[in-house]
């Protein structure tokens, strides 16, 4: 889908920081639209978006290294306000006449700023002489600032922790304001986009809905769209938005691939047929998918098989409909970001998203992706705007490959059935305990491990089931949910007693730090 126009926007240049997405979240939370672009494409992104302000992210790189990332000079020549964060500060100094050195004391963790001078980012927040907690994460540090800049705040290990050129509206910090460990960081970013850049903060889901509907109409015209409806929040919101734009030109297709949660296909069909006037086709493709996945253990191979079979299924259904020109799907902004290697780093191998970047030429269809500018929590707000009930909007995220990637190791029909039953019991216990809405995502994983156990008077050799539950706002960072032992004991006992094939249950207490991709 052609991206909607955003006259008041911020461009975020990603130099490879693990927390760049958090910068975007803070800008969006202030009601301002923003986009992230890799530094390699930043000049093109600047020309395309025509932003009113630019934020430079952190990076694992060093400005002292030959060929290290730089900010395009066109940005400094444009006159727009610039906010440099960590590496962003260092590249500002390196490019504008300051100095950066390595070999100093590295600083990772909590630090405290001493405010030396007033600054445009401090309005309603900090005053001269006050002291504030921030979060540092750097090796190199600035040792001389460019002409026109002045120091507005220092820390014990960073004498240039916060510098500013008020005349040019350039601001640069050594710490990370985007993380929660800098308590006032979100307000600093808000002051930058509102008070310094003068952006209105009027980017709302109501406005996004109207622009997205018009963009879909402009793209589709009078042609036919088929939409991949999985029953998840993303695909459902995408389908409703496309339907609002083009009505009966849309046909939704639910591919029942045998990798969904218990009774999910039937529940989705019932909901959309009873409550929404959508043309919905239910395709039973269980034998096709599970048959080809059987015995496959590599997670990327699983994804590729599922993506290919989805495409083949939609090709077949499009032919039955007499052809379709567009395929609608619920691609989100993190999907787009995570499927691109911004710095040649790990994002290439951490995760891939089928169809992100386009469809095979042979399909002769274009993608309609009305959510590709949104984060997960923003999709939920849009879903409420479209009238989806809270009970549906609040559903835990479920990945496209479904149970296939929650069944590590070789897939078999028996293992999928075992996992489906265990997962259903786990979610049932969560709902009974009134915990469902307090948890962002919970699910069971059938580990590729079998253990010897004693059940009654007999010995068993069965699978281990892992339970996972996390709290999160947007899925970019998460912490494990702190259950009490009584709940875990109750859920584990039910699973072991009711699911033949499992004799041991464990709870996963790992957290999801910034920079990792998805809980799967």
């Amino acid at each position: 889908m052609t991206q909607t126009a955003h006259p008041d926007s911020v461009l975020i240049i990603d130099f490879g920081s693990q927390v760049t997405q958090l910068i975007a979240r803070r800008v969006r939370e202030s009601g301002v639209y923003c986009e992230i672009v890799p530094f390699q494409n930043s000049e093109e992104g600047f020309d395309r978006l025509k932003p009113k302000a630019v934020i430079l992210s952190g990076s694992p790189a060093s400005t002292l290294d030959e060929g290290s990332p730089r900010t395009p000079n066109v940005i400094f020549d444009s006159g727009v306000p610039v906010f440099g964060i960590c590496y962003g500060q260092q590249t500002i100094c390196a490019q504008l006449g300051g100095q950066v050195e390595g070999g100093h004391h590295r600083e990772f963790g909590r630090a405290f700023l001493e405010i030396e001078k007033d600054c445009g980012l401090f309005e309603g927040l900090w005053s001269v002489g006050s002291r504030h907690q921030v979060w540092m994460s750097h090796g190199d540090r600035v040792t001389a600032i460019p002409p026109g800049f002045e120091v507005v705040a220092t820390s014990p290990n960073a004498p240039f922790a916060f510098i500013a050129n008020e005349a040019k509206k350039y601001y640069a910090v050594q710490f990370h304001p985007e993380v929660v460990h800098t308590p006032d960081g979100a307000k600093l970013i808000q002051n930058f986009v509102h008070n310094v850049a003068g952006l209105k903060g009027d980017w709302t889901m109501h406005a996004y809905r109207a622009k997205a509907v018009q963009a879909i109409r402009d793209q589709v015209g009078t042609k036919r769209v088929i939409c991949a409806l999985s029953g998840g929040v993303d695909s459902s919101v995408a389908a409703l938005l496309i339907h609002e734009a083009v009505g009966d030109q849309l046909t939704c297709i639910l591919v029942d691939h045998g990798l969904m949660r218990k009774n999910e296909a039937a529940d989705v069909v019932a909901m959309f047929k009873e409550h929404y006037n959508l043309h919905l086709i239910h395709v039973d493709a269980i034998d096709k998918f599970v048959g080809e996945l059987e015995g496959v253990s590599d997670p990327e191979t699983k994804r590729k098989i599922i993506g290919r079979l989805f495409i083949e299924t939609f090709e077949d259904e499009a032919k039955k409909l007499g052809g379709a020109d567009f395929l609608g799907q619920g691609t989100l902004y993190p999907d787009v970001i995570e499927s691109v290697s911004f710095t040649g780093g790990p994002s290439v191998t951490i995760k891939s998203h089928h169809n992100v970047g386009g469809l095979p030429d042979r399909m002769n269809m274009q993608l309609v992706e009305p959510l590709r500018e949104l984060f997960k929590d923003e999709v939920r707000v849009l879903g409420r705007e479209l009238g989806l009930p809270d009970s549906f909007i609040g559903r835990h995220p479920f990945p496209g490959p479904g149970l296939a990637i929650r069944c590590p190791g070789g897939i078999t029909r028996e293992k999928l059935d075992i996992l489906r039953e265990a997962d259903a019991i786990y979610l049932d216990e969560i709902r009974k305990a009134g915990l469902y809405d307090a948890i962002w995502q919970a699910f069971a994983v059938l580990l590729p491990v079998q253990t010897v156990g004693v059940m009654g008077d007999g010995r068993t050799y069965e699978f281990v089931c892992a339970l996972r539950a996390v709290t999160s706002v947007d899925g970019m960072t998460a912490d494990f949910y702190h259950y009490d032992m009584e709940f875990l004991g109750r859920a584990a006992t039910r699973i072991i007693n009711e699911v033949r094939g499992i004799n041991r249950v464990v709870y996963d207490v790992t957290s999801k730090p910034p920079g990792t991709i998805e809980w799967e």
Side-chain angles (χ1 to χ4, degrees):
M1 187 184 77
T2 302
Q3 292 184 317
T4 52
H6 300 283
D8 280 353
S9 60
V10 174
L11 179 71
I12 300 169
I13 298 179
D14 183 18
F15 292 115
S17 169
Q18 291 186 332
V19 290
T20 300
Q21 288 192 30
L22 294 181
I23 302 174
R25 290 302 306 123
R26 302 298 169 253
V27 174
R28 296 274 184 97
E29 287 164 3
S30 71
V32 174
Y33 180 76
C34 65
E35 285 187 25
I36 300 171
V37 297
F39 71 90
Q40 301 96 323
N41 302 333
S42 54
E43 189 165 347
E44 178 277 329
F46 184 79
D47 291 340
R48 172 180 54 81
L49 192 61
K50 295 178 175 53
K52 300 290 180 64
V54 174
I55 299 178
L56 311 177
S57 85
S59 174
S62 169
T63 59
L64 304 175
D65 294 339
E66 185 176 352
S68 57
R70 289 291 187 268
T71 303
N73 289 329
V74 66
I75 289 174
F76 294 125
D77 294 338
S78 68
V80 303
V82 178
F83 188 9
I85 295 172
C86 197
Y87 182 90
Q89 182 198 54
Q90 294 168 11
T91 193
I92 284 175
C93 290
Q95 291 182 244
L96 298 184
Q99 187 172 358
V100 179
E101 293 183 3
H104 292 280
H105 176 66
R106 297 189 306 165
E107 192 172 19
F108 299 95
R110 185 179 293 105
F112 290 90
L113 286 188
E114 299 285 346
I115 308 304
E116 307 285 345
K117 294 184 178 180
D118 198 13
C119 168
L121 270 60
F122 295 169
E123 183 177 335
L125 186 63
W126 292 345
S127 58
V128 175
S130 59
R131 185 170 182 264
H132 304 278
Q133 178 184 312
V134 296
W135 192 260
M136 295 283 190
S137 180
H138 64 96
D140 300 344
R141 72 175 183 182
V142 173
T143 55
I145 59 177
F149 280 80
E150 61 181 357
V151 177
V152 297
T154 64
S155 74
N157 288 312
F160 303 103
F162 200 135
I163 62 175
N165 182 330
E166 297 275 16
K168 289 183 175 291
K169 297 185 178 179
Y170 291 169
Y171 303 86
V173 299
Q174 184 61 76
F175 57 90
H176 286 272
E178 68 272 32
V179 302
V180 295
H181 309 294
T182 300
D184 297 324
K187 179 63 175 175
L188 285 173
I189 294 173
Q190 181 178 325
N191 281 348
F192 173 70
V193 298
H194 291 318
N195 300 346
V196 173
L199 304 185
K200 298 176 183 178
D202 56 0
W203 188 73
T204 65
M205 280 302 106
H206 181 74
Y208 184 89
R209 173 185 180 178
K211 290 180 179 179
V213 165
Q214 188 58 53
I216 295 167
R217 288 173 179 163
D218 292 343
Q219 181 186 12
V220 171
T222 60
K223 296 178 180 178
R224 181 184 294 276
V225 186
I226 58 174
C227 185
L229 183 62
S230 69
V233 175
D234 304 337
S235 66
S236 299
V237 172
L240 288 179
L241 197 59
I242 295 170
H243 184 257
E244 180 173 313
V246 299
D248 292 341
Q249 294 166 237
L250 171 68
T251 298
C252 291
I253 299 173
L254 173 65
V255 177
D256 190 352
H257 45 40
L259 306 172
M260 302 176 80
R261 290 171 288 204
K262 188 174 181 179
N263 300 326
E264 187 162 34
D267 292 344
V268 170
V269 171
M271 185 184 79
F272 277 92
K273 284 193 172 181
E274 290 175 10
H275 298 287
Y276 300 98
N277 189 28
L278 293 176
H279 181 210
L280 174 61
I281 298 173
H282 178 199
V283 180
D284 184 347
I286 295 175
D287 290 341
K288 181 179 181 180
F289 277 77
V290 178
E292 189 155 344
L293 286 165
E294 200 148 8
V296 176
S297 59
D298 179 70
E300 270 307 293
T301 303
K302 291 176 185 178
R303 287 181 180 278
K304 290 175 182 176
I305 290 172
I306 292 167
R308 175 174 55 78
L309 293 178
F310 259 112
I311 288 173
E312 291 176 3
T313 302
F314 279 99
E315 283 183 303
D316 292 342
E317 293 303 318
K319 290 176 184 176
K320 294 176 185 177
L321 293 168
D325 301 282
F326 296 93
L327 172 64
Q329 63 180 25
T331 305
L332 304 189
Y333 195 37
D335 297 336
V336 177
I337 296 169
E338 291 160 3
S339 293
V340 177
S341 177
F342 280 11
T343 60
S347 64
V348 170
T349 55
I350 290 175
K351 186 175 182 185
S352 63
H353 301 264
H354 63 269
N355 298 346
V356 172
L359 296 168
D361 290 339
R362 72 171 195 278
M363 288 192 73
N364 197 29
M365 282 194 282
Q366 298 178 46
L367 283 171
V368 180
E369 299 173 304
L371 311 181
R372 68 179 287 130
E373 295 179 350
L374 302 182
F375 288 94
K376 185 75 177 186
D377 52 317
E378 294 172 326
V379 173
R380 287 176 169 155
V381 175
L382 179 58
R384 292 186 180 94
E385 175 75 23
L386 291 166
L388 280 168
D390 284 341
S391 59
F392 184 82
I393 291 294
R395 294 179 71 193
H396 292 177
F398 192 65
L403 299 182
I405 42 80
R406 294 178 179 174
C407 189
I411 288 181
T412 67
R413 295 170 190 264
E414 178 189 17
K415 288 168 69 175
L416 289 172
D417 289 339
I418 291 171
L419 175 57
R420 202 175 343 261
E421 290 299 322
D423 188 71
I425 292 170
Y426 179 38
L427 293 178
D428 183 55
E429 285 298 322
I430 289 172
R431 289 189 175 95
K432 285 179 177 177
L435 300 175
Y436 191 85
D437 291 338
I439 296 170
W440 185 78
Q441 187 182 47
F443 55 86
V445 176
L446 193 68
L447 299 179
V449 175
Q450 289 180 285
T451 63
V452 175
V454 177
M455 300 178 70
D457 295 323
R459 295 172 70 82
T460 61
Y461 185 61
E462 296 178 330
F463 288 104
V464 177
C465 176
L467 304 181
R468 193 176 260 177
V470 297
T471 57
S472 179
V473 173
D474 46 32
M476 292 182 295
T477 59
D479 192 13
F480 68 91
Y481 186 79
H482 293 251
Y483 286 125
D484 61 54
M485 292 305 296
E486 182 180 349
F487 171 84
L488 287 174
R490 186 166 60 248
T493 298
R494 271 198 67 190
I495 290 170
I496 291 170
N497 286 343
E498 298 178 30
V499 183
R500 187 175 296 275
I502 294 175
N503 67 4
R504 194 176 304 275
V505 175
V506 298
Y507 183 56
D508 182 351
V509 295
T510 54
S511 296
K512 177 187 177 186
T516 55
I517 301 300
E518 184 176 354
W519 283 97
E520 292 186 345

